[in-house]
Amino acid sequence: MKILFLDAYNLIYRARSGFTKGEYAIVYNFFRGVRPLVEKFNPDKVYFVLEGVPKFRKQLSEGAYKGNRTSAGDDFHRQKAAIINIVGELFPFESVRHPDLECDDTIATLAIQHASQGDDVTIISSDSDFIQLLNIERYDIQIYNPIKKIFVETPDYDYVTWKALRGDATDNIPGIPGVGDKTATKIVKDPAKMQAILENKEKREIFERNVNLIRLVDFSNDISKLERKTGTGDWEMIEQTFEDLEFDSMLKEKTWNKFVKTFERL
């Protein structure tokens, strides 16, 4: 089987770019953008993966994890909720969410599960945290960056170790002082330099904390908390919803037929 994972929030944030007119411009951009992605990969199953609350990472970082993030505003969150509702209720995707973990953890767990069964797995996201999955050579997992429109290449070093050394400003994870991208690459490829880091108590503590913050959680041994919901695939209802939202250009006969046909396999 061909399995496609959509990093929901990543794609919704991306949908802020594009058309800006109208009360539901972000919703329009999202659905206009997701169709060609599904068409490109022609999957047998699509997961729409939502965020939970990163409880253990918040605890480990004493609340600092992602503490630098600012709100995208009420209008964005209104439209984000609309997208999640339309997909969850109507589209033939399986919406999944772990209440206590992040989207990245859920995708990693399900991706490894499918890959171990011999499925072809593709993750659609520009989030670099997924690169660590490429280091697991025994699984056929690929990552497609929808912004750069390229497949992500496997690094020739352990990604979690590299990122733990240099930190991640996006998630408010400070690295070891004085260690940037180039220095981290040198250290991760040199066992002696890595050993020197681990022999320094302060640096080792930063490194070990960061590894625990960055490494994705595989919760396959306790998947019971995973919330799952599959939409109806009711295209008449989807068409009516798009009419209500005044997505007129998407509802022209040729365009609409192409839109519906894209998802017929699911």
Side-chain angles (χ1 to χ4, degrees):
M1 288 181 68
K2 292 198 290 187
I3 310 297
L4 189 67
F5 287 92
L6 302 179
D7 181 343
Y9 283 21
N10 187 271
L11 290 172
I12 295 171
Y13 274 98
R14 175 176 170 248
R16 292 181 296 177
S17 299
F19 290 98
T20 57
K21 293 181 180 179
E23 192 178 353
Y24 289 95
I26 295 172
V27 181
Y28 175 83
N29 290 334
F30 173 82
F31 286 108
R32 186 170 177 266
V34 81
R35 189 208 66 77
L37 288 172
V38 173
E39 180 182 57
K40 178 179 178 67
F41 293 100
N42 194 26
D44 299 294
K45 182 179 181 64
V46 175
Y47 286 98
F48 186 68
V49 190
L50 301 166
E51 292 287 356
V53 178
K55 287 186 177 180
F56 90 89
R57 291 186 176 98
K58 286 285 188 183
Q59 292 169 353
L60 183 60
S61 65
E62 298 180 345
Y65 180 70
K66 292 189 175 180
N68 55 339
R69 302 285 180 92
T70 57
S71 173
D74 292 342
D75 183 62
F76 170 78
H77 290 293
R78 174 183 63 82
Q79 296 192 62
K80 180 181 75 174
I83 292 168
I84 293 170
N85 182 61
I86 293 169
V87 171
E89 295 294 333
L90 300 176
F91 269 71
F93 300 166
E94 183 172 358
S95 294
V96 290
R97 175 182 179 270
H98 192 297
D100 301 328
L101 292 168
E102 294 181 81
C103 162
D104 300 13
D105 302 309
T106 299
I107 289 178
T109 298
L110 294 176
I112 290 171
Q113 195 174 74
H114 276 286
S116 66
Q117 295 168 0
D119 294 330
D120 293 331
V121 174
T122 302
I123 299 165
I124 307 292
S125 181
S126 59
D127 188 337
S128 63
D129 284 335
F130 291 117
I131 293 174
Q132 61 191 272
L133 297 177
L134 300 178
N135 287 136
I136 310 175
E137 295 180 359
R138 64 184 180 276
Y139 297 134
D140 183 14
I141 297 174
Q142 57 183 357
I143 302 164
Y144 182 77
N145 185 318
I147 297 174
K148 297 180 178 179
K149 297 183 179 180
I150 58 171
F151 288 98
V152 178
E153 295 184 2
T154 304
D156 61 351
Y157 50 81
D158 184 78
Y159 185 78
V160 171
T161 299
W162 177 82
K163 202 167 190 177
L165 290 166
R166 50 89 72 186
D168 186 353
T170 303
D171 289 341
N172 203 32
I173 301 174
I176 294 171
V179 176
D181 290 0
K182 292 181 180 179
T183 302
T185 302
K186 290 177 182 178
I187 294 172
V188 78
K189 291 183 177 182
D190 187 329
K193 287 185 170 66
M194 191 69 221
Q195 185 60 34
I197 292 289
L198 296 176
E199 288 174 355
N200 181 297
K201 183 176 182 294
E202 184 178 341
K203 291 180 180 179
R204 185 181 70 249
E205 288 177 353
I206 294 172
F207 173 76
E208 290 177 346
R209 178 203 63 200
N210 288 356
V211 166
N212 286 321
L213 289 171
I214 293 163
R215 180 177 289 141
L216 300 180
V217 175
D218 181 353
F219 58 88
S220 55
N221 291 329
D222 182 21
I223 209 146
S224 60
K225 277 193 172 183
L226 193 64
E227 299 165 356
R228 299 175 180 260
K229 183 177 185 178
T230 301
T232 60
D234 185 339
W235 290 102
E236 288 186 6
M237 195 64 185
I238 294 171
E239 186 176 20
Q240 183 59 58
T241 300
F242 283 5
E243 283 182 13
D244 294 342
L245 297 175
E246 299 181 350
F247 295 169
D248 297 339
S249 64
M250 290 179 68
L251 296 171
K252 292 177 182 178
E253 185 176 358
K254 187 176 180 180
T255 304
W256 180 246
N257 288 341
K258 185 177 182 180
F259 190 91
V260 174
K261 187 177 180 180
T262 300
F263 304 95
E264 280 181 343
R265 181 173 173 174
L266 302 176

